[in-house]
Amino acid sequence: MASDQAVGQEADMKDLLEYLAKALVDNPEGVEVTAVEGERSVILQLRVDPDDVGKVIGKKGRIAQAMRTLVKASATKEGRNAIVEIID
Amino acid sequence: MEPVERDVTPKSVVVDIVNLMDLRTRITSWEDEEEIHVDVWGDDLGILIGRGGSTLQALQDLVTTIVRRTCPETRRIVVDVERYKERRRQKLREYAERMADKALSTRKAIRLEPMTPRERKIVHDALKDYAGVESKSEGEDPQRRIVISPA
């Protein structure tokens, strides 16, 4: 499927992850997402305030997994792969 | 995203997320005493559903967690895409009735595939008033399954 937004797709995934993380934590200013670009994949590194780490991981890692699933779905749409790393 | 001064609602969070995913959708919301429903409509929304509904489940988990953070008392939030869950429920009910018919005609108990607690509840509910059969669950999750037997 042709897309008229060939540029800036990475930003979408980055923005999505940033939005989710900020909405989940107590200290949104502490949220930082860095994108490391590969050819077919992008690694998104998420940093949050140390007090908020549990919030973005969730019980049994459920929230982290849910964020990964959603970001991956968004990447798939653009024919790419996205890896979410939570930097502790 | 720029911070916007407004209430965080299940619908507003879903709208934000699908916009960030660059999906063209229409979103409706309705509620009753127990649940708040957000329905997403549009074409090509398979990626928002995912295999076996996994992406949809992730979306619902995130929306629930985000909304409960500011409103802990919020009712159960149910997100659906193109009536996916409703269609699946209907299929499961039809399957349960077919298996009940089979149990009746063969006079033998039928053990179904393992199902999640929610799926089992749909099957039990579908067979509750079904004359001549009874359903019960056996085994432990994730292998717990329903057995339909002639009463």
Side-chain angles (χ1 to χ4, degrees), chain A residues 1 5 12 15-16 19-20 22-26 55 62-63 65-67 69-70 73-74 76-78, chain B residues 1 6 12-13 16-17 20-24 44 47-48 54-55 57-59 61-62 65-66 69:
Chain A
M1 195 172 67
Q5 293 199 331
D12 281 351
D15 287 354
L16 175 63
Y19 168 85
L20 293 172
K22 284 186 173 172
L24 288 163
V25 300
D26 291 331
K55 293 247 161 64
R62 203 174 155 126
I63 293 300
Q65 194 49 49
M67 288 198 295
T69 300
L70 215 54
S74 197
T76 302
K77 182 170 164 284
E78 317 291 351
Chain B
M1 278 224 123
R6 54 148 201 227
S12 76
V13 177
D16 287 345
I17 291 173
L20 283 161
M21 291 177 80
D22 206 14
L23 295 169
R24 252 166 255 176
D44 279 334
I47 67 143
L48 203 54
S54 55
T55 307
Q57 186 62 49
L59 175 64
D61 284 352
L62 289 168
T65 309
I66 289 168
R69 215 180 68 77

Side-chain angles (χ1 to χ4, degrees), chain B residues 91-151:
Chain B
K91 274 191 188 149
L92 198 51
R93 280 194 287 262
E94 287 165 8
Y95 169 72
E97 288 176 7
R98 276 202 310 278
M99 291 302 114
D101 284 342
K102 199 171 157 192
L104 274 180
S105 61
T106 60
R107 304 300 301 166
K108 277 183 184 155
I110 294 177
R111 301 172 80 229
L112 306 184
E113 292 297 301
M115 291 177 191
T116 65
R118 192 152 306 223
E119 288 168 333
R120 291 197 305 270
K121 184 175 188 312
I122 293 165
V123 172
H124 285 308
D125 286 349
L127 299 180
K128 203 168 47 191
D129 300 321
Y130 206 89
V133 296
E134 58 181 33
S135 64
K136 53 180 192 249
S137 298
E138 65 170 40
E140 298 300 319
D141 280 319
Q143 288 300 310
R144 198 160 163 81
R145 57 175 80 208
I146 287 178
V147 181
I148 304 174
S149 15

